[in-house]
Amino acid sequence: QASQEELKAAYRRLCMLYHPDKHRDPELKTQAERLFNLVHQAYEVLSDPQTRAIYDIYGRRGLEMEGWEVVERKRTAAEIREEFERLQREREERRLQQRTNPKGTISVGIDATDLFDRYDEEYEDVPGSSFPQIEINKMHISQSIEAPLTSTDTAILSGNLSTQNGNGGGSINLALRRVTSAKGWGELEFGAGDLHGPLFGLKIFRNLTPRCFITTNCALQFSSRGVRPGLTTVLARNLDKNTMGYLQWRWGLQSAMNTSIVRDTKTSHFTVAMQLGIPHSFMMVSYQHKFQDEDQTRVKGSLKAGFFGTIVEYGAERKISRHSVLGATVSVGVPQGVSLKIKLNRASQTYFFPVHLTDQLLPSAVFYATVGPLVIYFAMHRLVIKPYLRAQKERELEKQRESTASDILQKKQEAEAAVRLMQESVRRIIEAEEARMGLIVVNAWYGKFVNDNSRKNEKVKVIDVTVPLQCLVKDSKLILTEASK
């Protein structure tokens, strides 16, 4: 972010420092010539806005490209950055098209009602009754993959398996999607399963205007009871930059009409919805706050009321690693009772663990469902996650050090030579500062100091930077920019 004036001032100062004519020793003179040439090359690149933009994006490799086959050199810095971002987006899109894009969900339902709903008097004479029984009563596994056939056609294969209380089944679906134009696409779906008969579906997406689109899904389900048709239509419109409105009409099984408004900003996500249908009619309001922290923490709450009862949900989610997000939600409702839902997103895979705690509204169940996950998370984060991430980072740094050992050695030699070349200038600076009672750096170190006796065997990674810092002193001031160590 340095300005042209700052570049010129630094260039003049370094030229005076490393000018070969200022050094009589042959070895120092040779080192000064090399550093002087490096300073001159750097100034040539950074003083030209075009070459500076190329270097910012591609580094030295970009300056060495013959003919600059990526973008024209005559473009401005802003145009070069814009072109680079566009090429990067296109490359990312091509990469995504070539992948199978696997997506999967594993859900394990846990029945823990015996923790809160049991009655001790009924279990007094039952052997082993002192231990509550926690059971897995349902499971669901689904997986899908995509295969681009042509630039406009994509095949999607998906399947799922479900079981509940010892009974279950599965299905498999094949969908063929074709992008018909820039405004829409169509999809044919074929499915079969052991719980239901063959399925045939047609889905169409169409942009009506730049701010409005419609999706229609027609399906025919064949079974022993006959053919059951279904139709779902969704009309959506951008109400403003951050707000979407949806109208949904569903006919067939569980016919309903639904309208919802979703507002999504950088710091919040708000949804209000209303549905009229058979058998479910409800109103729902939910809010999610997004913290702008490193871990992308989010807290959320929702209220849903209808013919089935009332449900209040609250929870939070947080990023625990580069590709993993952990979340927990407490659900309290009538007549549903109290449940705890734990969800882990790992890349494109989702692991979901709904834990049903009680069929009643017990304050103890609500308390433990709220406090328990927090205590476990902070304990795991401090004792397991943070040490693991720290060790992983150390391994990556060590691997990086090993792979760049020769470069580091060369840079170290250049740095030591630069410090030796500064000695004469530093002597003059100290004399001038002493004369004006100015700023003299007595001692300066940079690095990681080990003071703990238990870690005294670790290698002390510090370097003496007294001379370079004194060399930066000008008019009794030491100014360190944001890019400085």
Side-chain angles (χ1 to χ4, degrees), residues 28 31 34-35 412-422:
L28 289 179
Q31 293 170 346
R34 185 173 69 255
L35 291 172
K412 184 177 180 181
Q413 292 173 349
E414 290 179 359
E416 290 172 348
V419 170
R420 288 196 296 270
L421 294 171
M422 292 177 187

Side-chain angles (χ1 to χ4, degrees), residues 103-109 138-143 161 342-345 348-354:
K103 295 178 182 178
T105 301
I106 297 177
S107 177
V108 180
K138 56 184 176 181
M139 290 185 66
H140 177 81
I141 300 174
S142 63
Q143 186 75 31
L161 290 171
I342 300 172
K343 185 170 70 171
L344 173 65
N345 287 329
S348 59
Q349 301 292 315
T350 301
Y351 304 92
F352 188 54
F353 302 92

Side-chain angles (χ1 to χ4, degrees), residues 86-145:
R86 185 186 66 81
L87 292 171
Q88 206 172 30
R89 284 195 302 269
E90 290 182 356
R91 187 163 57 247
E92 182 68 14
E93 289 172 2
R94 287 195 299 270
R95 186 180 68 85
L96 289 174
Q97 287 180 354
Q98 292 170 357
R99 290 176 53 200
T100 58
N101 192 23
K103 295 178 182 178
T105 301
I106 297 177
S107 177
V108 180
I110 301 172
D111 183 1
T113 55
D114 203 32
L115 289 171
F116 298 96
D117 290 345
R118 67 195 316 239
Y119 296 94
D120 292 338
E121 59 269 21
E122 297 181 5
Y123 291 87
E124 287 178 354
D125 300 326
V126 180
S129 62
S130 60
F131 296 99
Q133 294 188 4
I134 299 176
E135 301 176 350
I136 295 176
N137 59 357
K138 56 184 176 181
M139 290 185 66
H140 177 81
I141 300 174
S142 63
Q143 186 75 31
S144 69
I145 56 173

Side-chain angles (χ1 to χ4, degrees), residues 171-185:
S171 65
I172 187 168
N173 293 66
L174 174 64
L176 300 174
R177 181 182 297 171
R178 165 166 286 189
V179 179
T180 54
S181 65
K183 291 186 175 181
W185 50 265

Side-chain angles (χ1 to χ4, degrees), residues 168-230:
S171 65
I172 187 168
N173 293 66
L174 174 64
L176 300 174
R177 181 182 297 171
R178 165 166 286 189
V179 179
T180 54
S181 65
K183 291 186 175 181
W185 50 265
E187 184 177 290
L188 282 174
E189 182 181 7
F190 305 92
D194 54 358
L195 294 180
H196 303 285
L199 170 72
F200 173 77
L202 173 64
K203 190 173 183 179
I204 298 173
F205 171 87
R206 181 76 177 177
N207 279 314
L208 303 179
T209 67
R211 299 178 60 184
C212 181
F213 68 84
I214 187 171
T215 302
T216 300
N217 187 6
C218 307
L220 291 175
Q221 181 77 61
F222 298 90
S223 67
S224 58
R225 299 180 181 179
V227 180
R228 293 185 294 179

Side-chain angles (χ1 to χ4, degrees), residues 38-331:
L38 284 174
V39 170
H40 183 66
Q41 292 171 14
Y43 182 70
E44 280 188 337
V45 171
L46 299 178
S47 59
D48 181 1
Q50 294 176 8
T51 55
R52 181 175 178 174
I54 294 169
Y55 181 79
D56 284 345
I57 297 171
Y58 296 99
R60 185 175 296 181
R61 177 176 56 86
L63 301 172
E64 296 171 353
M65 292 172 63
E66 291 294 334
W68 239 100
E69 44 291 299
V70 180
V71 296
E72 299 176 9
R73 284 182 181 267
K74 64 182 180 181
R75 295 189 179 186
T76 64
E79 289 174 335
I80 291 173
R81 289 190 178 93
E82 185 179 350
E83 181 74 5
F84 174 74
E85 290 172 359
R86 185 186 66 81
L87 292 171
Q88 206 172 30
R89 284 195 302 269
E90 290 182 356
R91 187 163 57 247
E92 182 68 14
E93 289 172 2
R94 287 195 299 270
R95 186 180 68 85
L96 289 174
Q97 287 180 354
Q98 292 170 357
R99 290 176 53 200
T100 58
N101 192 23
K103 295 178 182 178
T105 301
I106 297 177
S107 177
V108 180
I110 301 172
D111 183 1
T113 55
D114 203 32
L115 289 171
F116 298 96
D117 290 345
R118 67 195 316 239
Y119 296 94
D120 292 338
E121 59 269 21
E122 297 181 5
Y123 291 87
E124 287 178 354
D125 300 326
V126 180
S129 62
S130 60
F131 296 99
Q133 294 188 4
I134 299 176
E135 301 176 350
I136 295 176
N137 59 357
K138 56 184 176 181
M139 290 185 66
H140 177 81
I141 300 174
S142 63
Q143 186 75 31
S144 69
I145 56 173
E146 297 181 4
L149 304 178
T150 66
S151 58
T152 59
D153 297 333
T154 304
I156 305 168
L157 181 65
S158 61
N160 65 80
L161 290 171
S162 299
T163 178
Q164 184 170 357
N165 295 325
N167 299 316
S171 65
I172 187 168
N173 293 66
L174 174 64
L176 300 174
R177 181 182 297 171
R178 165 166 286 189
V179 179
T180 54
S181 65
K183 291 186 175 181
W185 50 265
E187 184 177 290
L188 282 174
E189 182 181 7
F190 305 92
D194 54 358
L195 294 180
H196 303 285
L199 170 72
F200 173 77
L202 173 64
K203 190 173 183 179
I204 298 173
F205 171 87
R206 181 76 177 177
N207 279 314
L208 303 179
T209 67
R211 299 178 60 184
C212 181
F213 68 84
I214 187 171
T215 302
T216 300
N217 187 6
C218 307
L220 291 175
Q221 181 77 61
F222 298 90
S223 67
S224 58
R225 299 180 181 179
V227 180
R228 293 185 294 179
L231 175 65
T232 303
T233 299
V234 179
L235 178 66
R237 178 178 173 81
N238 279 96
L239 303 179
D240 61 34
K241 181 181 177 182
N242 300 309
T243 309
M244 288 287 294
Y246 298 91
L247 289 173
Q248 184 186 76
W249 178 67
R250 186 168 64 243
W251 172 80
L253 249 86
Q254 298 185 351
S255 299
M257 294 181 65
N258 183 297
T259 180
S260 59
I261 296 175
V262 180
R263 180 169 179 81
D264 191 17
T265 65
K266 187 178 180 181
T267 59
S268 64
H269 183 93
F270 176 76
T271 303
V272 58
M274 181 178 69
Q275 176 173 302
L276 297 175
I278 303 172
H280 296 302
S281 294
F282 63 85
M283 287 193 66
M284 188 267 290
V285 178
S286 71
Y287 177 78
Q288 183 181 98
H289 184 76
K290 309 172 186 176
F291 292 92
Q292 303 302 305
D293 58 352
E294 190 179 63
D295 297 321
Q296 300 177 8
T297 306
R298 300 183 180 190
V299 294
K300 53 188 177 181
S302 69
L303 171 64
K304 189 175 183 181
F307 292 164
F308 55 83
T310 302
I311 297 176
V312 176
E313 291 188 345
Y314 56 91
E317 65 177 41
R318 197 175 194 183
K319 192 174 182 180
I320 58 174
S321 69
R322 185 181 301 176
H323 303 292
S324 300
V325 177
L326 179 65
T329 303
V330 179
S331 177

